[in-house]
Amino acid sequence: MYKPLADKVRPRKIDEVFGQKHILGEGKILSRIIKSNRISNMIFYGPPGVGKTTVANIIAETSNRRFYKLNATNASLKDIQEIVADLDTLMGTSGVVLYLDEIQNFNKKQQQSLLEFIEDGRITLIASTTENPFHYIFKAILSRSTIFEFKPLDKGDIIEALKRARVLAEEDYHGVKIEITDEAYEFLGDSSNGDVRKAINGLEVALYSTNPDREGRILIDREVAADSVQKKILNYDINGDSHYDILSAFQKSIRGSDPDAAIHYLARLVKAGDLISICRRLMVIAAEDIGLAYPQGISIVKACVDSAQMLGFPEARIPLAEATILLATAPKSNSAVMAIGRALEDLDNVEVGDVPIHLKDAHYAGAASLGRGIEYKYPHSYPNHYIEQQYLPDSLKDAKYYEAGENKFEGSIKKYWDVIKKE
């Protein structure tokens, strides 16, 4: 029976797991839990192909309790009910361990059905998810579980796994020598994006599609590896965590005035074809992070965004790159977003009072009889188009929301008004 190479390479002991040293290294918390054989409720969170299922299988081998495995993508309440039924038999007298893969696909009712049995210890839950558990998992389950984040493997760990895969694959070829160049290892490690299963699958395709030479040798070089992988797949789900993580890194790189990092994250978004999110985020950045330090910036970005939407991909990448580099290298000011934030905070927390009577609408018959607008001073009737008067409500008359940013444009405006208001 055919057995995928990735399954043959799958570690059987905790010490054989590739990567995840932050939780599985010597003396680390998850390693200690597994070796103690005192398994508690756990949630494994991380991208595909980083060892979540492997570790769950190792726990299954070491546990003295009956082990069940469900995939939430196709499991139902009936499957859970069947497991619960086993709890009342001899098979479940010491409790059971349930590994629930892709738990984010269970709705709230399905997750709640487990809660009673998790609470009294009859079911020990090990769940895995590629999505942020704080967004997708019922809070009552979260509060009773320990969350372990599995991280993408670095290239060194992936190459180590590939070398092990070569040895195991060679055993199946009965005398055929398998040689893999360093460049091929490097390419497979780089193109896998931290997913060891993807790297091994690529190697397997290379092996099966390459015939032995006259010397009975299968040679996998960089060219063969590239043909086998075809295209690097980035972790990007427009409805998932990676979408928001990349957008966040994109904005923070621009805010931090790093055009190279900003262009890198733009490239990821372009590769995913996510034009709407890019355009929206560029407009937000122009107002939030550049703001009044370079007020023309938002107009230029709007023109770039309009051009990108008119062009569509692939040409849209050009005006988007122009807007990104402009914003990353522009002077920065968050004075506008801070000002509106302070004002909104006061609306939520302070008694703001009524609009001053001299500012109320007076463009109707009878307004004067109500005292509306009588004491209003029209600024254009005074020198420099300015006259001091109260504009904020009485309860907020001393409030300060806007503070000029330390940049050339806002500095010049502040200096101008300091002189005018002093006079």
Side-chain angles (χ1 to χ4, degrees):
M1 180 179 176
Y2 166 73
K3 191 174 185 180
L5 183 57
D7 197 45
K8 294 176 185 176
V9 179
R10 190 185 296 276
R12 301 292 184 257
K13 299 177 182 178
I14 204 66
D15 298 334
E16 298 174 351
V17 175
F18 304 105
Q20 313 310 331
K21 301 303 182 188
H22 63 294
I23 52 176
L24 291 173
E26 185 64 34
K28 297 298 183 180
I29 179 65
L30 185 53
S31 176
R32 298 202 310 269
I33 289 174
I34 294 171
K35 288 177 180 178
S36 72
N37 201 25
R38 295 181 178 178
I39 309 303
S40 57
N41 299 312
M42 294 182 281
I43 295 171
F44 296 164
Y45 159 49
V50 295
K52 301 188 298 296
T53 302
T54 294
V55 173
N57 287 336
I58 292 171
I59 292 173
E61 292 294 326
T62 59
S63 174
N64 294 323
R65 286 173 281 179
R66 186 167 178 80
F67 191 88
Y68 293 86
K69 183 176 178 180
L70 294 177
N71 189 305
T73 304
N74 50 33
S76 64
L77 277 175
K78 183 180 178 182
D79 295 306
I80 297 174
Q81 289 165 354
E82 289 176 356
I83 293 172
V84 170
D86 280 350
L87 294 174
D88 297 325
T89 69
L90 289 174
M91 296 165 59
T93 52
S94 58
V96 302
V97 176
L98 169 62
Y99 175 54
L100 184 57
D101 197 13
E102 305 292 349
I103 189 176
Q104 75 272 9
N105 292 310
F106 258 16
N107 59 37
K108 186 175 181 180
K109 183 177 180 181
Q110 288 171 310
Q111 292 186 37
Q112 284 178 318
S113 66
L114 294 167
L115 192 57
E116 174 189 346
F117 305 99
I118 291 173
E119 268 190 325
D120 62 21
R122 284 183 286 170
I123 288 179
T124 299
L125 177 68
I126 301 174
S128 69
T129 176
T130 56
E131 302 294 346
N132 192 321
F134 294 99
H135 297 163
Y136 290 91
I137 298 180
F138 187 41
K139 287 182 173 57
I141 291 179
L142 284 179
S143 68
R144 292 162 176 80
S145 306
T146 303
I147 298 173
F148 294 98
E149 183 175 3
F150 284 62
K151 298 179 180 180
L153 276 67
D154 61 35
K155 186 166 66 174
D157 289 325
I158 290 175
I159 290 175
E160 183 183 340
L162 288 169
K163 289 180 176 179
R164 183 179 176 198
R166 184 201 67 80
V167 172
L168 292 173
E170 200 170 58
E171 293 174 358
D172 292 340
Y173 276 81
H174 307 294
V176 174
K177 183 73 173 175
I178 296 174
E179 293 185 13
I180 304 173
T181 65
D182 290 341
E183 291 78 11
Y185 278 129
E186 291 282 330
F187 179 84
L188 290 168
D190 283 329
S191 63
S192 63
N193 202 38
D195 184 336
V196 69
R197 183 169 56 236
K198 181 178 184 295
I200 294 172
N201 288 345
L203 175 59
E204 186 173 31
V205 171
L207 291 171
Y208 289 162
S209 61
T210 305
N211 293 321
D213 60 18
R214 292 178 180 178
E215 299 174 3
R217 178 190 65 161
I218 292 177
L219 175 64
I220 306 298
D221 58 16
R222 189 188 186 284
E223 184 178 354
V224 173
D227 284 343
S228 302
V229 172
Q230 291 295 320
K231 188 175 181 181
K232 183 175 181 179
I233 299 174
L234 297 174
N235 287 333
Y236 190 89
D237 177 358
I238 200 166
N239 296 312
D241 290 341
S242 58
H243 168 75
Y244 298 104
D245 288 343
I246 294 171
L247 283 173
S248 175
F250 179 55
Q251 180 164 2
K252 287 170 181 172
S253 298
I254 292 176
R255 182 184 295 152
S257 302
D258 188 331
D260 297 309
I263 284 291
H264 167 77
Y265 292 113
L266 173 65
R268 291 197 186 193
L269 295 164
V270 168
K271 201 76 169 177
D274 195 0
L275 181 58
I276 293 175
S277 293
I278 300 171
C279 292
R280 182 179 182 276
R281 190 57 64 111
L282 284 170
M283 294 299 297
V284 168
I285 294 167
E288 179 180 349
D289 295 306
I290 283 71
L292 292 169
Y294 183 43
Q296 302 96 322
I298 195 167
S299 299
I300 299 172
V301 170
K302 178 63 165 62
C304 290
V305 163
D306 287 347
S307 298
Q309 291 176 331
M310 183 179 295
L311 291 168
F313 286 128
E315 289 83 357
R317 74 191 190 283
I318 304 169
L320 293 176
E322 181 181 347
T324 297
I325 294 170
L326 174 77
L327 295 178
T329 56
K332 306 296 188 293
S333 174
N334 68 342
S335 60
V337 69
M338 295 300 290
I340 189 63
R342 293 184 188 111
L344 289 169
E345 186 177 358
D346 272 359
L347 293 184
D348 291 334
N349 299 294
V350 177
E351 178 55 54
V352 295
D354 198 10
V355 175
I357 195 168
H358 62 283
L359 299 183
K360 290 187 175 183
D361 180 27
H363 292 86
Y364 56 91
S369 65
L370 297 174
R372 303 291 198 269
I374 293 174
E375 297 182 6
Y376 174 63
K377 299 173 184 177
Y378 186 58
H380 296 298
S381 300
Y382 296 86
N384 299 310
H385 305 269
Y386 174 77
I387 183 65
E388 185 176 356
Q389 63 185 322
Q390 181 181 325
Y391 291 97
L392 281 166
D394 289 341
S395 59
L396 295 173
K397 65 180 181 179
D398 296 321
K400 183 76 171 175
Y401 297 121
Y402 170 67
E403 294 181 5
E406 296 180 0
N407 56 79
K408 185 177 180 180
F409 181 82
E410 288 182 273
S412 65
I413 296 300
K414 183 179 185 300
K415 183 177 180 180
Y416 170 82
W417 282 111
D418 282 347
V419 172
I420 297 298
K421 292 181 179 182
K422 187 176 182 182
E423 290 178 357

